[in-house]
């Protein structure tokens, strides 16, 4: 099992917070994930190309406050790309 | 609509039948197809069962009864009803329009389970634990469901709030609070010194500015939060009391960056979190509130509790808006004044005129905690002096001053 500190683990943890309605901690986790992800993309630009569209969808879901839409994208689309 | 499923709940059936349809309802394809209502997905389209199992963990496995706030597409109710120990499940509709859209499109066999009682929010003033909630329904709650939504959101945020309060407590310990407290008299000595008084609490919401003329004549009855000091002083008003609980030195320096002259008659009541360096510069008397005043996060709470403890039997809330009308967070001239974009999808609250106004999640939490406090103090008459700020349950709306 991967540690929660891995990018995929962070994406799943943020998704779980959104599914539980814990918007505050979910937002904190998402922000930390995005920071870590951007640092990783700086090292591996190919990863950026793979996740760019998905990140736009994630931002859009966050803007319209769609917690389950966000959770599905984080857990079932972003995390597998990061595993 | 699935009329048979609602046969046992005629009151709910009537409310759902009267509800208008959402602007937009569609399906998202997937292993477990999900409804999307007004841009908000109700349940996971990949694994709705795993999602519901996670959400159900908020209810202890062997609980005999539980409450569900919002039911999404029904999966969370199914998961809870599969528990042999569960004998009663109250399911609260947070949005009649969403519930109707779901029951028109999704199987609702779970409603036939005799353990289920489908309920409307009317008359449900507090949460009934143990409970679980559907986050999409929280997001889409209508006016009737708004108060319960806020209580659920507040409760779900509690671990985060506690963590932050814990961080503040640690900052406080580092700030050598004990030495200060030894030198300042306790606020308890002032308790009961204004028996039966009518006091005003000035918060720093945008509507404070409408009351400067009146407050100038009532400064001796005025308890102001720290953020309201600067605009009040700019209007020539010196409150009898100022209350502060801010732990951040930078914030406080901005709040207290005002001429000292005139403040000698204002008593500063401070909570343990306030940094020493700011206190030392206060020109008037100081009183330390160790654990004497109630606050669940907002300095408005501590100011209201001070007014009550002084002996007030009538407390007028002025500038206590708990909302950001036009995106404005504070009254003009406040050091922390910010204008934020008003997001269509952002949190909202009903104002005193019944109109939805934009707010912030933390302000909603403070508002609901204040309403609970008001309910605990029936001996005090609470008056909300602004119809443009949030309606405050338990505080009668009275826009005009009695003197006018």
């Amino acid at each position: 099992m991967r540690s929660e500190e891995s990018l995929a683990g962070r994406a799943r943890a943020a998704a779980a917070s959104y599914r539980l309605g814990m918007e505050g901690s979910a937002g904190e986790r998402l922000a930390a994930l995005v920071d870590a992800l951007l640092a990783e993309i700086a090292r591996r630009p190919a990863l950026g190309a793979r996740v760019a569209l998905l990140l736009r969808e994630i931002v859009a879901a966050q803007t319209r406050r769609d917690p389950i839409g966000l959770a599905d994208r984080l857990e079932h689309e972003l995390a597998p790309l990061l595993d | 609509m699935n009329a048979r499923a609602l046969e046992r709940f005629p009151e709910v059936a009537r409310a759902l039948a009267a509800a208008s349809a959402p602007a937009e309802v569609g399906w998202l394809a997937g292993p477990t197809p999900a409804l999307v209502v007004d841009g908000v997905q109700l349940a996971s389209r990949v694994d709705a069962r795993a999602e519901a199992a996670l959400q159900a963990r908020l209810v202890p496995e062997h609980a005999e009864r539980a409450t569900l706030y919002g039911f999404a597409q029904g999966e969370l109710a199914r998961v809870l009803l599969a528990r042999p120990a569960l004998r009663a499940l109250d399911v609260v509709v947070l949005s009649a329009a969403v519930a109707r859209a779901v029951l028109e499109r999704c199987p609702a066999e779970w409603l036939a389970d005799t353990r289920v009682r489908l309920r409307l929010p009317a008359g449900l003033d507090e949460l009934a634990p143990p409970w679980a909630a559907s986050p999409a329904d929280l997001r889409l709650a209508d006016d009737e469901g708004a108060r319960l939504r806020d209580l659920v959101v507040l409760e779900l945020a509690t671990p985060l709030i506690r963590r932050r309060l814990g961080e503040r407590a640690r900052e406080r310990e580092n700030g050598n609070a004990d030495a200060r407290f030894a030198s300042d008299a306790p606020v308890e000595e002032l308790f009961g010194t204004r028996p039966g008084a009518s006091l005003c609490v000035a918060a720093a919401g945008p509507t404070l500015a409408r009351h400067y003329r009146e407050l100038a004549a009532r400064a001796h009855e005025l308890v102001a939060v720290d953020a309201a000091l600067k605009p009040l002083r700019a209007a020539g008003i010196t409150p009898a009391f100022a209350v502060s609980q801010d732990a951040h030195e930078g914030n406080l320096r901005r709040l207290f960056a005002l001429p000292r002259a005139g403040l000698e008659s204002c008593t500063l009541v401070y909570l343990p979190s306030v940094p020493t360096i700011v206190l030392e510069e206060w020109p008037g008397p100081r009183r330390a509130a160790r654990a004497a005043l109630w606050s669940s996060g907002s300095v408005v709470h501590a100011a209201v509790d001070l007014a009550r403890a002084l002996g007030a039997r009538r407390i007028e809330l002025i500038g206590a808006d708990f909302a950001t009308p036009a995106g404005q967070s504070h009254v003009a001239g406040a050091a922390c004044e910010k204008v934020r974009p008003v997001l269509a999808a952002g949190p909202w609250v009903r104002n005193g005129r019944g109109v939805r106004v934009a707010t912030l999640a933390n302000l909603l939490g403070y508002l609901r905690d204040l309403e609970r406090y008001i309910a605990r103090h029936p001996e005090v008459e609470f008056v909300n002096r602004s119809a443009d700020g949030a309606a405050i349950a338990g505080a009668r709306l009275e826009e005009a001053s009695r003197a006018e």
Side-chain angles (χ1 to χ4, degrees):
Chain A
M1 197 168 135
R2 299 178 71 92
S3 87
E4 176 139 322
E5 287 308 304
S6 71
L7 287 173
R10 287 178 188 218
R12 292 190 178 100
S17 291
Y18 279 115
R19 293 194 199 285
L20 288 167
M22 296 173 174
E23 219 176 344
S25 55
E28 280 193 351
R29 287 177 172 202
L30 180 61
L33 167 70
V34 170
D35 284 348
L37 187 56
L38 292 177
E40 185 66 18
I41 288 170
R43 280 192 295 274
R44 294 164 49 203
L47 177 64
R50 283 166 63 204
V51 301
L53 180 62
L54 190 50
L55 279 179
R56 274 203 290 279
E57 287 181 16
I58 286 170
V59 169
Q62 194 195 24
T63 305
R64 66 175 183 270
R65 295 182 56 231
D66 174 13
I68 303 301
L70 252 173
D72 268 358
R73 286 178 176 84
L74 288 168
E75 180 179 355
H76 299 298
E77 297 181 44
L78 182 62
L81 286 177
L82 301 173
D83 264 329
Chain B
M1 193 159 38
N2 197 331
R4 271 189 62 196
L6 289 174
E7 261 172 11
R8 291 195 299 129
F9 315 105
E11 193 192 352
V12 180
R14 278 193 296 277
L16 268 52
S20 52
E24 208 180 325
V25 182
W27 282 102
L28 265 183
T32 53
L35 273 179
V36 180
V37 176
D38 294 341
V40 178
Q41 191 179 326
L42 294 191
S44 174
R45 66 161 159 164
V46 181
D47 193 344
R49 176 52 59 104
E51 175 177 80
L54 172 73
Q55 292 164 338
R57 276 163 43 183
L58 294 181
V59 176
E61 187 65 41
H62 298 291
E64 292 192 356
R65 61 174 316 284
T67 312
L68 198 50
Y69 295 101
F71 56 84
Q73 291 172 222
E75 202 61 14
L76 180 50
R78 289 185 191 98
V79 165
L80 288 169
L81 290 167
R83 295 178 176 184
L86 195 81
R87 296 169 68 174
L89 181 65
D90 276 4
V91 180
V92 182
V93 173
L94 291 180
S95 162
V98 174
R100 176 180 169 165
V102 169
L103 295 177
E104 283 172 346
R105 294 167 176 83
C106 302
E109 81 300 337
W110 57 274
L111 272 174
D113 191 310
T114 53
R115 293 174 292 173
V116 172
R117 184 166 57 150
L118 193 63
R119 309 189 66 180
L120 296 170
L124 305 178
D125 292 331
E126 288 294 332
L127 302 180
W131 51 262
S134 151
D137 289 78
L138 295 173
R139 165 69 178 81
L140 294 164
D142 57 25
D143 292 355
E144 285 68 33
R147 183 180 150 78
L148 287 173
R149 169 204 64 195
D150 293 342
L151 296 182
V152 168
V153 169
L154 185 61
E155 205 66 32
L156 288 171
T158 297
L160 186 69
I161 292 167
R162 287 221 179 97
R163 202 177 77 220
R164 289 202 173 138
L165 287 178
E167 284 164 7
R168 286 194 193 173
R170 280 191 292 283
E171 285 169 20
R172 201 156 69 212
E173 282 159 19
N174 296 338
N176 193 18
D178 288 348
R180 276 183 291 144
F181 274 26
S183 64
D184 287 334
V187 70
E188 286 94 325
E189 290 180 6
L190 301 175
F191 287 4
T193 55
R194 301 278 189 107
S198 178
L199 298 180
C200 299
V201 168
T207 65
L208 174 66
R210 297 176 193 175
H211 301 272
Y212 290 152
R213 233 175 91 186
E214 176 194 348
L215 292 178
R218 300 181 68 186
H220 60 292
E221 299 175 350
L222 188 55
V223 179
V225 306
D226 47 12
L229 263 185
K230 211 169 172 174
L232 285 171
R233 288 294 301 134
I237 301 161
T238 304
F241 298 94
V243 182
S244 188
Q245 68 170 34
D246 202 319
H248 295 95
E249 191 182 320
N251 287 350
L252 274 178
R253 283 194 178 282
R254 280 193 294 280
L255 298 182
F256 289 127
L258 68 173
R260 296 283 174 264
L263 280 177
E264 297 85 355
S265 62
C266 178
T267 300
L268 175 66
V269 176
Y270 64 92
L271 276 72
S273 42
V274 177
T276 311
I277 191 140
V278 180
L279 296 177
E280 282 167 351
E281 293 170 12
W282 185 256
R286 297 189 312 235
R287 294 284 179 162
R290 289 172 180 80
L293 296 179
W294 165 78
S295 168
S296 78
S298 167
V299 68
V300 177
H301 297 157
V304 167
D305 200 36
L306 174 63
R308 184 195 61 82
L310 290 170
R313 284 299 165 266
R314 175 181 160 96
I315 297 176
E316 296 177 38
L317 303 163
I318 297 181
D321 296 329
F322 300 103
T324 55
Q328 201 184 353
S329 67
H330 288 77
V331 65
C336 36
E337 187 186 356
K338 277 182 196 152
V339 177
R340 299 163 187 271
V342 175
L343 301 173
W348 54 267
V349 67
R350 288 269 167 198
N351 71 10
R353 304 180 204 285
V355 177
R356 286 187 184 196
V357 283
T359 184
L360 302 169
N362 62 331
L363 296 182
L364 276 178
Y366 300 150
L367 168 65
R368 300 313 177 194
D369 277 342
L370 177 65
E371 290 176 336
R372 287 168 158 171
Y373 174 90
I374 289 173
R376 288 197 300 274
H377 292 287
E379 76 281 9
V380 180
E381 178 192 8
F382 288 91
V383 175
N384 182 357
R385 292 289 308 279
S386 168
D388 289 324
I392 302 172
R396 199 180 61 253
L397 185 63
E398 209 175 277
E399 278 203 282
S401 156
R402 278 182 166 182
E404 280 168 7

